[in-house]
């Protein structure tokens, strides 16, 4: 009954586990969830108020497919001021979350057999959408030793005459790794002279630790600007996951034209109220809230990392951004599904098995939850590990 094309897709493991943990909690079970990939803070008031205003003003009609002129201008200003990227407003398209940006992009880019290079561990969704779009994911394996970052040499070796695109996600979900400007320059050098398109997923750009500064890969050089699609959104930076606001920007006119065409026949524009409400966030009016959240994430990271690394059999590379720890338990077992299932059943601790992110022997622990739960959760994990059978 169902079309073959859907068979290649697996359900999102991150969403599946978060939903399961939520259901267990609703049934009265003692569950601590570290599976969610969303901030535990509320959306800042300045954004909520802008939405209320937008409703009162009567923004109830369709907008242009890529977004209203005001929201596109706000994104243009943000990208120029914060990321040193000078896009035309016509280079920018808003989408129903960055997941939708990625979906649109792969749908319009890939022909059957086109390869997309994806550094592993990766966010669960990339390979799925690539496969759904008839493309072939090509993984570059990384390890704790390289802080889960790829090297120029690895990139060079992964390129074939079928390579269409490279996905870069910094700060990374699930490892929290952040590429420095110099590291990005090294990768950019390898791409010179090729027609490989770079998808730069910058969702976690605002959640950076230890005083690090963010570099957009498209700002490295004119060559990189021309070949890059910058993807971002407001889900993580201003706690707007449910509002569904993502965007993409690229000077490659063929790509923006194709995405606009596809979107005009699928979702049309994104929610008009969300567009209005996003403008203050894009223009920096929620910066105090962003800094408050960032600081709190950094505190939690420090608490969690110290506790985890004190547990025998576990190790974690200190993340420089995002709100995840990618916990290595290879000394105990490589079977992440079994490990995480037992952890949930025996201790009521929900985490995401590393297999979903393309690296076995790990789990992803989201610290987008309060400090008390983090401490209690890691204590339970310690107990679990001590008695692991
Ligand atoms: N990129 C990364 C790396 C993510 O973790 C997520 C998950 N939220 C997204 C993109 C998509 O986010 P959204 O669709 O909420 O904008
Ligand atoms: N990106 C988040 C995560 O990794 C949200 C869930 C999803 O979209 O997969 O958990």
């Amino acid at each position: 009954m169902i079309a073959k094309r859907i068979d290649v897709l697996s359900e999102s493991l991150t969403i599946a586990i978060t939903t399961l943990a939520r259901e267990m909690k609703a049934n009265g079970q003692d569950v601590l969830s570290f599976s969610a990939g969303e901030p535990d803070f509320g959306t800042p008031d300045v954004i909520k108020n802008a939405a209320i205003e937008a409703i009162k003003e009567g923004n109830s009609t369709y907008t242009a497919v890529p977004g209203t002129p005001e929201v596109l201008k706000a994104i243009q200003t943000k990208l120029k001021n914060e990321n040193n990227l000078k896009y035309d407003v016509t280079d920018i398209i808003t989408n129903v979350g960055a997941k939708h940006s990625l979906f649109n992009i792969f749908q319009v880019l890939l022909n059957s057999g086109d390869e997309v290079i994806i550094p592993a561990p990766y966010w669960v969704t990339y390979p799925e959408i690539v496969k759904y779009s008839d493309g072939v994911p090509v993984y570059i394996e990384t390890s704790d030793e390289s802080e889960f970052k790829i090297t120029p040499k690895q990139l060079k070796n992964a390129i074939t005459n079928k390579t269409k695109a490279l996905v870069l996600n910094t700060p990374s979900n699930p490892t929290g790794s952040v590429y420095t400007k110099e590291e990005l320059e090294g990768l950019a050098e390898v791409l010179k002279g090729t027609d490989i398109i770079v998808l730069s997923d910058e969702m976690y750009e605002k959640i950076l630790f230890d005083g690090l500064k963010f570099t957009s890969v498209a700002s490295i050089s004119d060559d990189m600007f021309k070949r890059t699609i910058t993807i971002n959104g407001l889900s993580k930076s201003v706690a707007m996951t449910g509002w569904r606001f993502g965007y993409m920007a690229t000077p490659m006119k063929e790509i923006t034209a194709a995405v606009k065409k596809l979107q005009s026949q699928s979702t049309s524009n994104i929610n008009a109220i969300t567009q209005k409400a996003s403008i203050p966030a894009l223009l920096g009016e929620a910066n105090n809230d962003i800094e408050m959240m960032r600081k709190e994430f950094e505190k939690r990271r420090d608490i969690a990392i110290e506790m985890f690394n004190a547990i025998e059999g576990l190790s974690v590379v200190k993340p420089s951004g995002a709100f995840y720890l990618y916990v290595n338990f290879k000394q105990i077992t490589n079977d992440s599904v079994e490990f995480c299932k037992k952890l949930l059943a025996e201790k009521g601790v929900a985490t995401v098995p590393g297999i979903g992110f393309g690296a076995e022997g790990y789990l992803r622990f989201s610290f987008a939850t309060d400090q008390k739960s983090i401490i209690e959760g890691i204590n339970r994990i310690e107990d679990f590990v001590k008695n692991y059978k």
Side-chain angles (χ1 to χ4, degrees):
M1 189 169 92
I2 300 299
K4 277 212 182 65
R5 86 176 75 85
I6 203 76
D7 283 349
V8 300
L9 268 188
S10 312
E11 193 189 349
S12 164
L13 194 60
T14 47
I15 291 186
I17 292 176
T18 307
T19 308
L20 175 67
R22 210 177 277 147
E23 281 167 10
M24 288 171 76
K25 245 187 201 168
N27 289 337
Q29 283 172 268
D30 171 24
V31 171
L32 292 172
S33 182
F34 304 99
S35 55
E38 61 184 344
D40 53 319
F41 300 99
T43 305
D45 281 343
V46 63
I47 301 169
K48 289 196 227 170
N49 291 336
I52 293 165
E53 236 1 83
I55 293 170
K56 286 188 184 155
E57 279 171 7
N59 288 274
S60 54
T61 60
Y62 294 127
T63 71
V65 167
T68 62
E70 295 79 25
V71 81
L72 297 178
K73 180 96 190 101
I75 296 169
Q76 183 192 40
T77 305
K78 181 257 180 259
L79 289 170
K80 182 163 150 283
N81 294 347
E82 295 185 0
N83 305 83
N84 197 23
L85 298 172
K86 295 190 183 87
Y87 290 108
D88 289 342
V89 277
T90 53
D91 296 342
I92 302 165
I93 307 175
T94 58
N95 314 104
V96 188
K99 192 182 267 184
H100 183 224
S101 314
L102 289 157
F103 187 87
N104 281 343
I105 293 165
F106 285 128
Q107 282 285 307
V108 306
L109 269 190
L110 301 181
N111 281 312
S112 182
D114 282 348
E115 295 178 355
V116 177
I117 299 176
I118 304 176
Y122 46 73
W123 177 44
V124 286
T125 293
Y126 302 134
E128 297 305 318
I129 314 183
V130 167
K131 285 186 272 174
Y132 187 75
S133 307
D134 233 7
V136 180
V138 171
Y139 306 113
I140 301 182
E141 307 295 332
T142 64
S143 64
D144 306 51
E145 288 73 37
S146 62
E147 291 178 15
F148 303 108
K149 291 189 262 191
I150 61 166
T151 61
K153 189 162 169 234
Q154 282 181 304
L155 177 58
K156 201 166 176 200
N157 290 341
I159 294 172
T160 72
N161 58 7
K162 293 208 173 121
T163 306
K164 185 80 182 235
L166 161 72
V167 177
L168 276 181
N169 172 216
T170 173
S172 149
N173 174 7
T175 66
S177 294
V178 176
Y179 286 84
T180 62
K181 185 163 184 263
E182 292 69 31
E183 285 165 340
L184 292 174
E185 281 166 352
L187 299 177
E189 202 51 41
V190 176
L191 297 172
K192 246 188 211 160
T194 72
D195 19 334
I196 297 170
I197 293 166
V198 175
L199 273 64
S200 179
D201 181 340
E202 308 187 352
M203 280 303 289
Y204 296 91
E205 70 164 332
K206 301 278 183 187
I207 309 172
L208 277 182
F209 311 131
D210 311 315
L212 283 181
K213 289 255 175 305
F214 181 74
T215 305
S216 283
V217 73
S219 71
I220 292 276
S221 63
D222 200 35
D223 180 68
M224 283 310 289
F225 182 72
K226 285 185 184 143
R227 68 170 73 246
T228 299
I229 309 175
T230 301
I231 298 154
N232 208 331
L234 295 176
S235 285
K236 319 288 169 167
S237 59
V238 278
M240 285 179 73
T241 48
W243 296 65
R244 312 309 298 130
F245 185 91
Y247 59 90
M248 52 174 281
T250 179
M252 291 179 273
K253 303 285 180 203
E254 258 186 299
I255 295 178
T256 44
V259 168
K260 286 175 198 176
K261 187 163 71 173
L262 174 64
Q263 191 160 296
S264 80
Q265 297 292 17
S266 52
T267 55
S268 307
N269 59 272
I270 74 164
N271 181 304
I273 308 300
T274 296
Q275 291 188 50
K276 276 265 175 178
S278 300
I279 293 172
L282 291 161
L283 297 180
E285 290 175 40
N287 281 358
N288 289 341
D289 303 86
I290 292 174
E291 181 55 12
M292 177 278 291
M293 291 188 258
R294 195 202 62 74
K295 272 199 186 130
E296 178 57 28
F297 284 134
E298 185 157 359
K299 257 191 233 153
R300 294 172 186 176
R301 176 203 62 166
D302 291 343
I303 293 169
I305 204 98
E306 202 177 312
M307 287 184 76
F308 268 116
N309 281 332
I311 302 174
E312 212 181 311
L314 302 186
S315 64
V316 194
V317 175
K318 196 176 188 178
S320 301
F323 40 65
Y324 308 106
L325 298 181
Y326 206 54
V327 182
N328 180 327
F329 52 79
K330 288 182 190 173
Q331 281 185 43
I332 300 164
T333 173
N334 251 331
D335 189 337
S336 63
V337 170
E338 189 181 88
F339 188 92
C340 293
K341 262 192 184 163
K342 280 189 184 164
L343 179 60
L344 181 58
E346 292 173 24
K347 296 287 174 192
V349 172
T351 57
V352 187
I355 185 89
F357 307 99
E360 262 299 21
Y362 297 86
L363 61 80
R364 188 188 77 175
F365 180 96
S366 160
F367 52 87
T369 188
D370 62 282
Q371 291 185 21
K372 190 164 161 269
S373 302
I374 291 172
I375 293 168
E376 166 68 16
I378 304 175
N379 281 333
R380 288 190 199 182
I381 293 174
E382 181 170 22
D383 211 39
F384 174 73
V385 166
K386 268 190 197 148
N387 303 302
Y388 192 82
K389 281 188 267 326

